[in-house]
Amino acid sequence: MNAPVLVELAGGEHPLICFPPAGAGASYFRFLADGRAVTAVQYPGRESRHREAFATSRPQLIAEIAAALAPDPRLSQATFLGHSLGATCAFETTLALQERGLRPARLVLSARNHTPPGTAPPAPDGDRATDTELRDWLLGLGGTRPEVLDHPGLSALIYTVARADLRLGAQGGPAGLVDIPLLTVCGDADPAATTAGMAGWAERTTADFTPATLSGDHDALRTDAGTLLKLLEVDA
């Protein structure tokens, strides 16, 4: 039996439903589970689902996540929060749920430049990139300590998961609009995403669009969590 797709980090109403970035699992979002309801998506191949094969089709992954979320009675009061690759997954899951007549209350996309449907932001090739190229890329983004990548066993695991997620991220996504308020956030020193680069998400919602900037690099979601939480409160 496969482990659950959703991991409840802290129970309660009006949850944040979080979608991890490439290379990460549900535990990435534990920093938010302090006095608020947080549920995180667990992608196959990591943490509690480490015995499962990595996802190779993003549409299939999105269908799996949408099926897990659809029965949740809190869905209409939830905020979807996706970071980096997770932003793409959060948006596409929202599209998939809308096809069922379901939707969350809000959508927050972090550190993921918008690209036209069918395309993806630039990133290393999950098949062709060398371990050295992956190391440089991860360190350049921030959020990964050099000493972790200096450990042979840990680095091998990190690179394996990162390659699988880079393959997913390179798959072009579907067209479509969401009809819920959309907030975008990115770090002011993020080498992979910018406020200008994320501005195109405004064209993907029929509701309000709000761009915001955090202090930090690609991991500003965590390092400037205070600002993020204030934005979520204002947006509530």
Side-chain angles (χ1 to χ4, degrees):
M1 178 181 295
N2 292 341
V5 175
L6 304 175
V7 176
E8 187 172 78
L9 301 177
E13 299 299 316
H14 308 282
L16 283 173
I17 297 179
C18 302
F19 296 71
S27 64
Y28 177 92
F29 289 102
R30 287 197 182 281
F31 73 98
L32 292 173
D34 182 13
R36 65 189 58 80
V38 177
T39 293
V41 173
Q42 191 74 281
Y43 305 140
R46 67 218 66 198
E47 296 184 356
S48 58
R49 302 182 68 187
H50 70 280
R51 296 184 184 277
E52 299 177 43
F54 294 117
T56 57
S57 165
R58 201 165 78 222
Q60 290 181 4
L61 176 63
I62 297 305
E64 177 186 61
I65 297 170
L69 286 168
D72 193 331
R74 306 172 302 166
L75 181 61
S76 64
Q77 300 298 318
T79 294
F80 282 7
L81 170 60
H83 180 52
S84 197
L85 172 64
T88 296
C89 292
F91 183 85
E92 293 177 5
T93 299
T94 303
L95 288 178
L97 287 168
Q98 283 188 166
E99 293 179 357
R100 301 177 180 220
L102 303 169
R103 60 182 59 82
R106 303 181 283 171
L107 179 59
V108 182
L109 306 182
S110 168
R112 188 71 163 180
N113 284 341
H114 177 266
T115 59
T119 66
D125 187 303
D127 293 311
R128 299 180 180 179
T130 65
D131 286 354
T132 298
E133 289 170 337
L134 287 181
R135 175 189 172 87
D136 292 344
W137 175 67
L138 289 168
L139 293 177
L141 291 177
T144 303
R145 299 192 306 275
E147 57 267 28
V148 173
L149 297 180
D150 288 337
H151 188 288
L154 288 177
S155 63
L157 176 60
I158 290 170
Y159 296 151
T160 297
V161 177
R163 288 182 189 280
D165 288 347
L166 285 167
R167 295 184 192 106
L168 281 181
Q171 298 171 16
L177 305 178
V178 299
D179 56 1
I180 58 175
L182 197 162
L183 167 69
T184 61
V185 296
C186 68
D188 56 8
D190 189 335
T194 64
T195 301
M198 298 187 71
W201 288 111
E203 302 173 5
R204 305 299 298 276
T205 180
T206 59
D208 292 339
F209 174 78
T210 305
T213 304
L214 305 178
S215 177
D217 55 25
H218 197 64
D219 204 41
L221 188 77
R222 287 197 294 190
T223 57
D224 193 13
T227 300
L228 171 69
L229 292 173
K230 289 178 181 178
L231 288 168
L232 292 176
E233 291 170 0
V234 170
D235 198 38

